[in-house]
Amino acid sequence: MQYSVCDYLLDLIQNSVESGASVITLDLLESDDQLEVCIGDDGCGMDNTTLGRVKDPFFTNGEKHSARSVGLGIPFIIQAVEATGGSFDIKSEKGTGTSLYFSFFKGHIDMPPVGDLPGVFRSLMLFDSDYDLLVHRKNIGKSYRVSRSELHEALGDFTDSQSLVLLKDFFSSQEEDIS
Amino acid sequence: MAKLTLEELRKLRDNKKHEIQKRETDNKEIDVIVGMGTCGIAAGAKDALDAFIAEIDKHNLTNVRIKQTGCMGFCTYEPTVEVKVPDMPDTIYNNVSVDVAKLIVGNHLVRKQLVSEHVFDRPSVDIIENK
């Protein structure tokens, strides 16, 4: 089960990567009382029938694992959002891409913990696929933007331990700056 | 920590690369693949990944590729980690906590000895056959 906001982010961005997206955007915006997330991708998208069914926890298209019921995890995020009085929206067009929005009220008693943001930002960069991920992070008045391609250009390969340490250091320093 | 710019990140990387090039005699040959599906994360795979990165960096093992993958199909035995070292059997470890991750780096990667008590011996047939 997902526990923190970071767990949902990893799941949802993985969906975008597996949809064959070449560009994925992630906006993670915090105000005094709200945390909002927008994810957009130019992956394979879904038709209206499938889009309606992904909110059903018992739906799977059976393609990822033939013998297991594996879905997109959308019902989990809807459940968490509804428990905090936040909102959720998903739009998709077959062949064009998918966009998704959710928000939490930070002061709500059922607000999940945010989790380790530098750690998850690093993990979001590590999926084994050719995609760009544009991160826009804002905390009240301060913000930063960075893309996977810029980080690749600065660090080279993301598979050796030195790059991975520096990648997390980078996000930790950015998060510290806006906190 | 002072805020790092991309330029500073590039310089830090270049400095490290220089150090690596002085030491490195062979290409990357060892793979460490951490299962980061929902099940793995729920069981602590993020901590295991962090531990592998820190420990491999500490031992200066520059010939290791660290990757994350989705669910390997062994949800009750998470976190699971696959380790591929030349001239050793490809091995999947189960229940890899931070301490087990450190053991795997020290024993399997450095001393070339299996961490026998965490070797996973009941593969999930439907997933393996699909690979």
Side-chain angles (χ1 to χ4, degrees):
Chain A
M1 263 310 276
Q2 295 87 346
Y3 174 61
S4 66
V5 175
C6 286
D7 296 343
Y8 294 107
L9 292 180
L10 191 62
D11 247 18
L12 296 168
I13 296 288
Q14 186 176 3
N15 290 342
S16 291
V17 173
E18 291 183 356
S19 77
S22 54
V23 179
I24 303 164
T25 56
L26 166 62
D27 295 76
L28 176 54
L29 315 171
E30 281 183 75
S31 63
D32 282 330
D33 62 342
Q34 270 202 77
L35 184 150
E36 295 178 285
V37 175
C38 293
I39 295 172
D41 70 55
D42 61 354
C44 63
M46 292 171 277
D47 59 34
N48 274 338
T49 313
T50 311
L51 186 60
R53 298 189 73 187
V54 294
K55 296 174 187 171
D56 173 358
F58 302 104
F59 171 67
T60 176
N61 68 4
E63 285 174 15
K64 191 167 179 180
H65 295 301
S66 57
R68 291 163 189 253
S69 294
V70 179
L72 296 175
I74 303 296
F76 294 122
I77 183 68
I78 292 177
Q79 188 181 35
V81 160
E82 284 178 351
T84 68
S87 56
F88 173 87
D89 192 25
I90 182 168
K91 293 186 173 69
S92 191
E93 201 176 318
K94 190 146 184 80
T96 305
T98 301
S99 63
L100 187 150
Y101 168 88
F102 61 88
S103 66
F104 287 111
F105 281 104
K106 289 160 71 173
H108 196 284
I109 193 164
D110 287 322
M111 168 74 196
V114 174
D116 173 22
L117 282 174
V120 82
F121 284 139
R122 172 174 66 189
S123 279
L124 296 180
M125 303 291 163
L126 305 186
F127 292 111
D128 192 12
S129 181
D130 189 15
Y131 62 100
D132 202 3
L133 172 61
L134 317 177
V135 174
H136 175 210
R137 172 82 171 103
K138 190 172 178 190
N139 187 21
I140 308 176
K142 293 180 168 183
S143 68
Y144 65 88
R145 287 173 190 269
V146 71
S147 69
R148 186 175 188 251
S149 52
E150 288 171 321
L151 291 164
H152 246 313
E153 198 271 319
L155 291 173
D157 197 4
F158 287 160
T159 59
D160 64 275
S161 59
Q162 283 96 350
S163 291
L164 295 173
V165 167
L166 288 173
L167 193 53
K168 191 170 180 183
D169 283 352
F170 176 79
F171 281 112
S172 297
S173 76
Q174 297 289 335
E175 283 299 316
E176 211 172 276
D177 187 61
I178 64 165
S179 64
Chain B
M1 187 188 300
K3 183 181 171 184
L4 284 170
T5 64
L6 283 168
E7 189 50 41
E8 285 160 347
L9 196 63
R10 191 175 296 114
K11 279 184 190 155
L12 282 169
R13 176 65 188 152
D14 288 345
N15 290 344
K16 292 230 177 197
K17 256 189 185 157
H18 190 59
E19 287 170 31
I20 293 164
Q21 278 159 1
K22 276 194 276 184
R23 288 196 297 266
E24 203 166 38
T25 53
D26 50 6
N27 289 324
K28 289 190 175 52
E29 52 185 17
I30 296 175
D31 283 310
V32 172
I33 305 161
V34 182
M36 296 279 280
T38 308
C39 45
I41 287 170
K46 285 188 288 191
D47 294 335
L49 178 72
D50 271 348
F52 273 109
I53 293 170
E55 205 67 10
I56 288 167
D57 197 47
K58 197 172 97 186
H59 284 274
N60 284 325
L61 302 176
T62 56
N63 59 341
V64 181
R65 277 186 298 259
I66 305 165
K67 296 178 185 173
Q68 62 182 26
T69 187
C71 170
M72 295 196 226
F74 318 127
C75 304
T76 45
Y77 298 96
E78 295 288 346
T80 51
V81 176
E82 188 171 7
V83 179
K84 296 178 178 179
V85 177
D87 302 325
M88 291 183 72
D90 291 352
T91 307
I92 293 174
Y93 287 106
N94 61 279
N95 297 92
V96 181
S97 62
V98 168
D99 289 340
V100 176
K102 288 179 182 173
L103 270 181
I104 292 171
V105 174
N107 287 0
H108 194 140
L109 271 52
V110 177
R111 285 186 281 280
K112 314 295 182 207
Q113 291 168 356
L114 296 178
V115 182
S116 300
E117 60 274 33
H118 284 276
V119 172
F120 187 71
D121 62 352
R122 279 156 291 182
S124 189
V125 174
D126 60 321
I127 302 284
I128 294 291
E129 285 182 349
N130 281 342
K131 271 192 172 176

